[in-house]
Amino acid sequence: MFARRSHRRAAGIALGFLADLLLGDPRRGHPVAGFGTGAARLETHTYADSRGAGALHTGLLLGGLAGLGWVAGRGDRIWVTAAATYVALGGTSLNRVGHQMSRLLTTDDVAGARRLLPSLCGRDPAALDASGLTRATVESLAENTSDAQVAPLFWAAIGGVPGVLVYRGANTLDAMIGHRSPRYHHFGWAAARFDDLLNYVPARLTGVLAVLCAPVVGGSPVAALRAWRRDAARHPSPNAGVAEASFAGALGVRLGGPTQYAHQLEIRPTLGDGRIPEVADVARAVRLSRAVQAAAAAVAVLLAVSVASRSGRRSSPRW
């Protein structure tokens, strides 16, 4: 029975990954957007400029997702696991936006690239020229490969439907309220810290896979590993630094520097010791992201089989 269950979860994850690969995000009625709308409405009742209020807000939303996932995911039914995994993934849409940015920058359409940038990150596009847009795109592709693909696959394998739904909810909340704006400096603290916790292992898995996949883009695994070990800890995020540094080393470029967000300017540390990213590196970053995503799917399928099998052995009666 436990072997069948482990295979059901693994099959569901594989189908969810294939669905994202073929379809990308739904254009209308995306459940993640619905969650965001509900979170914004709840915020009108729970908001206060305190960590406690933010923890309550985060706990109510993620607790609701955990309960929904537990009810829907009992038995690791293949199609339920596939649907939850598909909803949580965003790798194909990420790569599509990366390709669009590559085309726009290649044709010197800076205005178009500025309009598209908010689809990737929260930086102020008006403050960026073509070089800044290129760096922002490469950095965002690296970070979002971890957040939008590797982490959901990891939590689907480890926690099944509840795990992947809670992860996607936490990551969405972090994007909504986890930044250090005057309004959310205290209220968003719990969402930001919980998202950091959930992304700790997946970010390092992303680093490992970026090192292994570096040859796909003509890069060096040694350079990727060196950039990760030397530079990642200097990044203000404990997780984004791993993904960005390993991508920088794999691509042979140098990331980091002044980064203008809507609410503040951050001076980011240098990641990697290569050249400044060029427009052609955007397409290379997309290829690296795709390779890491595919490798992460394979790891998740194997991990799902291993986790469920071990759980079955522990719960089996001993005669």
Side-chain angles (χ1 to χ4, degrees):
M1 179 183 71
F2 296 111
R4 290 197 298 271
R5 180 175 178 178
S6 67
H7 293 158
R8 287 198 297 269
R9 181 180 295 187
I13 291 170
L15 286 173
F17 171 75
L18 290 174
D20 178 68
L21 192 64
L22 295 173
L23 304 174
D25 289 338
R27 294 181 179 274
R28 296 182 180 179
H30 198 303
V32 173
F35 173 81
T37 300
R41 290 176 179 172
L42 180 64
E43 186 181 324
T44 63
H45 302 286
T46 57
Y47 179 81
D49 189 19
S50 71
R51 289 184 175 183
L56 174 64
H57 178 76
T58 301
L60 288 172
L61 288 164
L62 299 187
L65 283 179
L68 174 63
W70 182 81
V71 171
R74 285 182 295 181
D76 282 314
R77 289 173 291 179
I78 291 176
W79 295 109
V80 175
T81 302
T85 302
Y86 166 63
V87 164
L89 295 179
T92 294
S93 294
L94 171 68
N95 290 336
R96 288 175 179 173
V97 174
H99 271 302
Q100 288 179 272
M101 287 294 289
S102 178
R103 288 197 298 269
L104 291 169
L105 291 169
T106 299
T107 58
D108 295 321
D109 187 355
V110 174
R114 285 173 176 161
R115 288 192 297 270
L116 184 60
L117 188 67
S119 300
L120 282 173
C121 60
R123 302 183 194 188
D124 180 7
L128 300 176
D129 57 11
S131 179
L133 289 164
T134 297
R135 176 170 73 85
T137 301
V138 173
E139 291 174 351
S140 298
L141 284 167
E143 181 179 2
N144 287 319
T145 296
S146 179
D147 289 356
Q149 198 80 356
V150 178
L153 288 166
F154 174 82
W155 284 109
I158 294 294
V161 174
V164 73
L165 291 185
V166 168
Y167 170 76
R168 178 45 65 204
N171 192 246
T172 302
L173 281 179
D174 179 58
M176 294 178 68
I177 66 174
H179 41 83
R180 297 179 181 177
S181 66
R183 176 177 174 85
Y184 294 123
H185 184 76
H186 297 295
F187 185 74
W189 178 85
R193 297 291 75 77
F194 190 59
D195 181 70
D196 285 344
L197 177 65
L198 293 183
N199 275 296
Y200 187 85
V201 173
R204 282 139 188 86
L205 175 58
T206 301
V208 170
L209 296 178
V211 169
L212 295 176
C213 294
V216 171
V217 290
S220 164
V222 173
L225 182 61
R226 181 174 62 244
W228 171 6
R229 295 182 62 184
R230 185 191 61 209
D231 300 333
R234 297 189 290 135
H235 195 283
S237 167
N239 300 320
V242 175
E244 291 181 23
S246 58
F247 264 60
L251 294 167
V253 300
R254 183 171 69 253
L255 302 177
T259 303
Q260 180 66 58
Y261 290 93
H263 53 280
Q264 67 180 8
L265 173 66
E266 295 184 6
I267 305 300
R268 296 288 179 83
T270 299
L271 307 175
D273 52 12
R275 54 184 168 72
I276 295 173
E278 300 171 354
V279 171
D281 293 314
V282 174
R284 294 177 66 228
V286 171
R287 292 200 302 274
L288 180 59
S289 176
R290 280 183 168 173
V292 170
Q293 290 176 32
V299 170
V301 167
L302 294 174
L303 190 58
V305 173
S306 175
V307 168
S309 297
R310 289 182 181 180
S311 175
R313 287 196 296 270
R314 286 195 301 268
S315 61
S316 296
R318 295 183 181 273
W319 299 97

